[in-house]
Amino acid sequence: MLLVLDGSGELYRQLGRALRTAMAEGRLAAGSRLPSTRELALQLGLSRNTVLAAYELLRAERMIEARTGRGSFVAAAPARRGAPPAPVEPLPAPSMRAARQRALPPLPLPWRQPGVRIDLQYGEPLTHVAVFTAWSRCLAQAAAHLEPGYVQAQGRPELRAQIAAYLSRRRGLVCTAGDIVVVHGTQRAISLLARVLVDPGQTVVVEEPGYALARQALFAHGAAVRALPVDAQGLVVERLAGVDARLILVTPSHQFPLGVAMSLERRRALLRHAHEHAALIVEDDYDGEFGIGAGALPTLSALDGQGRTIHVGTFSKSLLPSLRLGYIVCPPGLRRDLVQAKRLEDISCAALEQQALARFMAGGGFERHLRRTALELRRRRSALVEGLRGLGERVRVQDSGSGMHLLAWLPGLDASALAMLIDDARRCGLALHPLSAHYEQPPAEQALLLGFACASAAQIREAVGILGACLDRVGPHRAP
């Protein structure tokens, strides 16, 4: 503890004044535990009796209180004397990047809303007791065998090998451990790729609507972000004509947020465009694990024979967001640049979590978890679709049959009526989320983005009942 004695008077009084100052400045907050008298005496080079006397002085002044068997605690910090502190004025933006970040609009991050019973939030994965039990076991095993020292910037070899085998088996993307760079999730991957691949001022194409956090990261980097429309077949590739795009960011397996899958024809057209115009494609496969079926299309990376596609995946949607692990599958020609950028940015990802995840995947726990999760997601999706269809013409359901969210279009409802609907639902204990938050330009029709991974089937049925009642109340406010 940093305590400066002023040199005036007896030592115990000097120590008492130093402790009062620490309390007044907030360095010792109300309720915080003070060091024991023996410990503080050793730290400051004072006698224990001096510290005892200072503590007794503060107790007499009701500045600290003794709790039997627990020690001494700050009772309350004294009020500051003098004029209140002047408000802190923000400094001018210290860099062009800081200026760009300040210009960003509020971001619709998928945080749970407080004070509601049911939140049909998108982006949160389905979790269950079994996965926490298995993951805790893998963490304990990894901790017992953890090697000290730094990890390779590219990621632990055993984890990269497991990811490569998984992608080859489940996603048809044939790659090796050498092609994998382990990162802190999709957001870090996009930021890292922007640093390596895009100079400020170069054009990057994103989807409209699309993933706002990626769009903002690219803008903050200094890229000229160009949003191109998405239709029922995915990104409208024809709109790339005349756009000198260095990078094209797409979510082809399950477009976020519309949920459509890019058609095979569009995938091939996009790859042709990238090859002919020396552009690179970032394929964000954020929840591809939950769209695999007989009709699933190959990933862009699997179709690409020219090395123009960079595949990005994450464990935030398939396992745990707090894990903060994802990966980049990079063409060999970019590997050295990406690994060097990763090394300079954060050296490496945490060794313990990487080793535990490698064990979890090697033992089959990860794919067992995916199978169990996919089954439960189907149950919850069915409950949501069935309930929404029961609301009749007031709601038009758009469900791709994959992922963890779907759209509920609200024919005839304008933006102000949608805001009233969301406010009314919140008062009834239900959090709803508008699709419009993911558009640069306001959409022609209003819709709700409904996540079903974080609510049980029973909660989903209750939520649909609340939504129906709220739609009844907002009915007179429908747009003409």
Side-chain angles (χ1 to χ4, degrees):
M1 179 184 296
L2 178 61
L3 293 171
V4 179
L5 306 189
D6 57 24
S8 176
E10 297 168 284
L11 282 176
Y12 81 94
R13 293 189 180 277
Q14 292 184 46
L15 178 56
R17 287 195 293 272
L19 287 165
R20 284 193 207 96
T21 299
M23 295 176 199
E25 292 177 347
R27 291 186 285 122
L28 284 173
S32 61
R33 186 180 185 278
L34 293 170
S36 68
T37 55
R38 188 185 306 278
E39 180 185 352
L40 190 56
L42 287 172
Q43 287 181 17
L44 300 179
L46 301 173
S47 73
R48 189 181 177 200
N49 284 338
T50 297
V51 178
L52 277 168
Y55 276 19
E56 287 296 333
L57 179 64
L58 294 176
R59 273 196 286 271
E61 296 174 352
R62 300 183 184 278
M63 299 291 292
I64 65 176
E65 58 185 27
R67 299 178 187 174
T68 305
R70 298 179 60 193
S72 297
F73 292 79
V74 178
R80 292 173 180 265
R81 293 190 176 93
V88 178
E89 294 293 332
L91 293 171
S95 66
M96 291 299 295
R97 181 182 177 90
R100 291 191 294 267
Q101 289 178 178
R102 291 183 182 188
L104 293 172
L107 189 65
L109 284 170
W111 306 127
R112 284 290 189 103
Q113 293 192 17
V116 295
R117 289 182 292 106
I118 307 170
D119 191 345
L120 296 185
Q121 181 60 270
Y122 56 91
E124 288 197 20
L126 189 156
T127 54
H128 41 75
V129 174
V131 72
F132 284 112
T133 302
W135 178 246
S136 298
R137 185 165 53 248
C138 288
L139 275 174
Q141 292 169 347
H145 299 90
L146 188 64
E147 301 169 2
Y150 292 105
V151 185
Q152 295 179 23
Q154 191 171 352
R156 291 190 68 98
E158 62 268 37
L159 176 57
R160 291 189 283 113
Q162 288 298 325
I163 293 171
Y166 166 79
L167 290 172
S168 300
R169 183 171 61 253
R170 295 267 300 193
R171 305 296 285 130
L173 176 52
V174 179
C175 55
T176 68
D179 300 319
I180 307 293
V181 179
V182 177
V183 294
H184 290 291
T186 299
Q187 192 63 25
R188 179 56 63 87
I190 291 170
S191 179
L192 189 68
L193 290 167
R195 290 176 186 271
V196 173
L197 304 176
V198 181
D199 287 324
Q202 288 187 311
T203 299
V204 176
V205 167
V206 297
E207 298 169 323
E208 169 73 349
Y211 178 42
L213 196 55
R215 191 178 296 180
Q216 293 200 2
L218 294 165
F219 178 83
H221 175 69
V225 182
R226 179 79 175 271
L228 295 183
V230 173
D231 64 15
Q233 296 187 63
L235 182 73
V236 182
V237 178
E238 293 82 358
R239 295 289 294 273
L240 287 167
V243 180
D244 184 19
R246 170 61 178 160
L247 200 66
I248 304 167
L249 176 61
V250 290
T251 51
S253 295
H254 187 230
Q255 199 276 334
F256 183 84
L258 297 182
V260 300
M262 184 180 287
S263 67
L264 185 58
E265 179 184 358
R266 288 276 179 88
R267 294 179 193 228
R268 288 172 173 161
L270 180 57
L271 290 169
R272 281 196 305 271
H273 177 92
H275 176 57
E276 293 167 2
H277 296 83
L280 292 166
I281 302 167
V282 175
E283 177 182 26
D284 179 2
D285 197 39
Y286 68 99
D287 67 354
E289 291 84 0
F290 303 117
I292 300 170
L297 294 171
T299 64
L300 278 172
S301 302
L303 293 170
D304 185 9
Q306 304 293 332
R308 311 303 306 177
T309 305
I310 302 158
H311 188 92
V312 174
T314 179
F315 294 98
S316 294
K317 302 294 183 289
S318 58
L319 194 52
L320 299 168
S322 57
L323 181 58
R324 302 309 308 141
L325 283 179
Y327 52 87
I328 300 171
V329 185
C330 57
L334 295 174
R335 186 183 309 158
R336 181 177 178 181
D337 295 323
L338 283 174
V339 173
Q340 178 71 336
K342 167 73 174 162
R343 184 180 294 113
L344 292 173
E345 189 160 296
D346 60 14
I347 302 179
S348 64
C349 297
L352 177 62
E353 285 80 357
Q354 288 192 62
Q355 189 166 321
L357 182 54
R359 285 176 173 269
F360 191 48
M361 297 180 78
F366 180 58
E367 294 199 46
R368 284 193 296 273
H369 163 66
L370 291 182
R371 289 193 294 270
R372 187 185 301 115
T373 300
L375 182 62
E376 181 58 27
L377 284 175
R378 283 197 292 272
R379 293 193 187 102
R380 297 186 185 190
R381 175 188 286 108
S382 296
L384 182 55
V385 170
E386 181 181 351
L388 291 174
R389 287 178 176 163
L391 298 179
E393 296 181 355
R394 294 176 295 174
V395 175
R396 186 176 75 253
V397 181
Q398 181 179 325
D399 177 26
S400 65
S402 63
M404 298 180 289
H405 72 268
L406 55 78
L407 300 182
W409 294 94
L410 303 171
L413 222 62
D414 63 12
S416 62
L418 177 64
M420 293 175 62
L421 175 73
I422 291 173
D423 288 344
D424 189 20
R426 181 176 176 81
R427 287 191 291 271
C428 296
L430 171 64
L432 299 172
H433 306 274
L435 174 65
S436 56
H438 304 280
Y439 280 84
E440 278 197 345
Q441 300 298 324
E445 190 177 4
Q446 302 301 319
L448 294 169
L449 185 61
L450 302 178
F452 48 82
C454 51
S456 68
Q459 288 176 318
I460 287 170
R461 285 188 283 269
E462 181 184 355
V464 172
I466 295 172
L467 174 59
C470 293
L471 282 170
D472 288 340
R473 287 191 289 271
V474 84
H477 300 279
R478 289 175 180 273

mmCIF file of all heavy atoms in Angstrom, residues 282-297:
data_model
loop_
_atom_site.group_PDB
_atom_site.id
_atom_site.type_symbol
_atom_site.label_atom_id
_atom_site.label_comp_id
_atom_site.label_asym_id
_atom_site.label_seq_id
_atom_site.Cartn_x
_atom_site.Cartn_y
_atom_site.Cartn_z
ATOM 1 N N VAL A 282 -13.374 -12.555 -47.372
ATOM 2 C CA VAL A 282 -13.403 -13.075 -46.004
ATOM 3 C C VAL A 282 -14.740 -13.772 -45.819
ATOM 4 O O VAL A 282 -15.800 -13.142 -45.916
ATOM 5 C CB VAL A 282 -13.215 -11.961 -44.963
ATOM 6 C CG1 VAL A 282 -13.374 -12.532 -43.555
ATOM 7 C CG2 VAL A 282 -11.849 -11.317 -45.102
ATOM 8 N N GLU A 283 -14.698 -15.057 -45.566
ATOM 9 C CA GLU A 283 -15.897 -15.872 -45.362
ATOM 10 C C GLU A 283 -16.108 -16.053 -43.866
ATOM 11 O O GLU A 283 -15.395 -16.811 -43.206
ATOM 12 C CB GLU A 283 -15.725 -17.233 -46.039
ATOM 13 C CG GLU A 283 -16.889 -18.175 -45.826
ATOM 14 C CD GLU A 283 -16.676 -19.535 -46.479
ATOM 15 O OE1 GLU A 283 -15.497 -19.938 -46.653
ATOM 16 O OE2 GLU A 283 -17.678 -20.185 -46.810
ATOM 17 N N ASP A 284 -17.070 -15.324 -43.321
ATOM 18 C CA ASP A 284 -17.392 -15.392 -41.893
ATOM 19 C C ASP A 284 -18.400 -16.526 -41.685
ATOM 20 O O ASP A 284 -19.572 -16.391 -41.997
ATOM 21 C CB ASP A 284 -17.953 -14.045 -41.436
ATOM 22 C CG ASP A 284 -18.330 -14.039 -39.956
ATOM 23 O OD1 ASP A 284 -18.127 -15.059 -39.278
ATOM 24 O OD2 ASP A 284 -18.840 -13.002 -39.483
ATOM 25 N N ASP A 285 -17.926 -17.628 -41.119
ATOM 26 C CA ASP A 285 -18.762 -18.816 -40.915
ATOM 27 C C ASP A 285 -19.178 -18.883 -39.452
ATOM 28 O O ASP A 285 -18.922 -19.857 -38.755
ATOM 29 C CB ASP A 285 -17.955 -20.061 -41.311
ATOM 30 C CG ASP A 285 -18.828 -21.284 -41.546
ATOM 31 O OD1 ASP A 285 -19.916 -21.131 -42.115
ATOM 32 O OD2 ASP A 285 -18.407 -22.382 -41.161
ATOM 33 N N TYR A 286 -19.853 -17.835 -38.987
ATOM 34 C CA TYR A 286 -20.054 -17.611 -37.552
ATOM 35 C C TYR A 286 -20.890 -18.694 -36.874
ATOM 36 O O TYR A 286 -20.708 -18.967 -35.688
ATOM 37 C CB TYR A 286 -20.672 -16.231 -37.315
ATOM 38 C CG TYR A 286 -22.088 -16.079 -37.803
ATOM 39 C CD1 TYR A 286 -23.161 -16.178 -36.932
ATOM 40 C CD2 TYR A 286 -22.355 -15.848 -39.143
ATOM 41 C CE1 TYR A 286 -24.457 -16.043 -37.374
ATOM 42 C CE2 TYR A 286 -23.653 -15.709 -39.606
ATOM 43 C CZ TYR A 286 -24.697 -15.808 -38.715
ATOM 44 O OH TYR A 286 -25.985 -15.686 -39.171
ATOM 45 N N ASP A 287 -21.859 -19.309 -37.582
ATOM 46 C CA ASP A 287 -22.635 -20.388 -36.950
ATOM 47 C C ASP A 287 -22.862 -21.533 -37.933
ATOM 48 O O ASP A 287 -23.898 -22.188 -37.908
ATOM 49 C CB ASP A 287 -23.963 -19.870 -36.391
ATOM 50 C CG ASP A 287 -24.945 -19.399 -37.466
ATOM 51 O OD1 ASP A 287 -24.546 -19.377 -38.653
ATOM 52 O OD2 ASP A 287 -26.094 -19.075 -37.131
ATOM 53 N N GLY A 288 -21.872 -21.773 -38.784
ATOM 54 C CA GLY A 288 -21.996 -22.814 -39.804
ATOM 55 C C GLY A 288 -22.230 -24.203 -39.253
ATOM 56 O O GLY A 288 -22.739 -25.076 -39.958
ATOM 57 N N GLU A 289 -21.867 -24.412 -37.987
ATOM 58 C CA GLU A 289 -22.064 -25.734 -37.377
ATOM 59 C C GLU A 289 -23.532 -26.120 -37.319
ATOM 60 O O GLU A 289 -23.856 -27.317 -37.265
ATOM 61 C CB GLU A 289 -21.505 -25.751 -35.945
ATOM 62 C CG GLU A 289 -19.998 -25.664 -35.845
ATOM 63 C CD GLU A 289 -19.494 -24.234 -35.905
ATOM 64 O OE1 GLU A 289 -20.328 -23.310 -36.019
ATOM 65 O OE2 GLU A 289 -18.265 -24.042 -35.835
ATOM 66 N N PHE A 290 -24.427 -25.136 -37.325
ATOM 67 C CA PHE A 290 -25.840 -25.428 -37.144
ATOM 68 C C PHE A 290 -26.635 -25.256 -38.428
ATOM 69 O O PHE A 290 -27.833 -25.004 -38.405
ATOM 70 C CB PHE A 290 -26.404 -24.540 -36.034
ATOM 71 C CG PHE A 290 -25.668 -24.712 -34.744
ATOM 72 C CD1 PHE A 290 -24.965 -23.655 -34.179
ATOM 73 C CD2 PHE A 290 -25.631 -25.944 -34.113
ATOM 74 C CE1 PHE A 290 -24.268 -23.822 -33.000
ATOM 75 C CE2 PHE A 290 -24.937 -26.114 -32.930
ATOM 76 C CZ PHE A 290 -24.251 -25.060 -32.372
ATOM 77 N N GLY A 291 -25.973 -25.426 -39.567
ATOM 78 C CA GLY A 291 -26.661 -25.387 -40.845
ATOM 79 C C GLY A 291 -26.290 -26.552 -41.728
ATOM 80 O O GLY A 291 -26.500 -26.524 -42.935
ATOM 81 N N ILE A 292 -25.701 -27.560 -41.132
ATOM 82 C CA ILE A 292 -25.228 -28.705 -41.901
ATOM 83 C C ILE A 292 -26.368 -29.683 -42.130
ATOM 84 O O ILE A 292 -27.060 -30.087 -41.207
ATOM 85 C CB ILE A 292 -24.061 -29.403 -41.171
ATOM 86 C CG1 ILE A 292 -22.907 -28.418 -40.997
ATOM 87 C CG2 ILE A 292 -23.602 -30.632 -41.933
ATOM 88 C CD1 ILE A 292 -21.803 -28.916 -40.095
ATOM 89 N N GLY A 293 -26.587 -30.068 -43.352
ATOM 90 C CA GLY A 293 -27.627 -31.024 -43.696
ATOM 91 C C GLY A 293 -27.426 -31.529 -45.107
ATOM 92 O O GLY A 293 -26.423 -31.219 -45.762
ATOM 93 N N ALA A 294 -28.389 -32.282 -45.580
ATOM 94 C CA ALA A 294 -28.255 -32.882 -46.907
ATOM 95 C C ALA A 294 -28.148 -31.820 -47.992
ATOM 96 O O ALA A 294 -27.491 -32.017 -49.006
ATOM 97 C CB ALA A 294 -29.454 -33.798 -47.174
ATOM 98 N N GLY A 295 -28.798 -30.673 -47.780
ATOM 99 C CA GLY A 295 -28.781 -29.632 -48.804
ATOM 100 C C GLY A 295 -27.714 -28.582 -48.590
ATOM 101 O O GLY A 295 -27.700 -27.571 -49.300
ATOM 102 N N ALA A 296 -26.808 -28.793 -47.622
ATOM 103 C CA ALA A 296 -25.788 -27.788 -47.329
ATOM 104 C C ALA A 296 -24.815 -27.653 -48.491
ATOM 105 O O ALA A 296 -24.415 -28.641 -49.116
ATOM 106 C CB ALA A 296 -25.032 -28.167 -46.058
ATOM 107 N N LEU A 297 -24.428 -26.434 -48.788
ATOM 108 C CA LEU A 297 -23.488 -26.159 -49.870
ATOM 109 C C LEU A 297 -22.067 -26.115 -49.338
ATOM 110 O O LEU A 297 -21.837 -25.817 -48.157
ATOM 111 C CB LEU A 297 -23.832 -24.814 -50.520
ATOM 112 C CG LEU A 297 -25.170 -24.753 -51.259
ATOM 113 C CD1 LEU A 297 -25.482 -23.317 -51.654
ATOM 114 C CD2 LEU A 297 -25.147 -25.653 -52.482
#
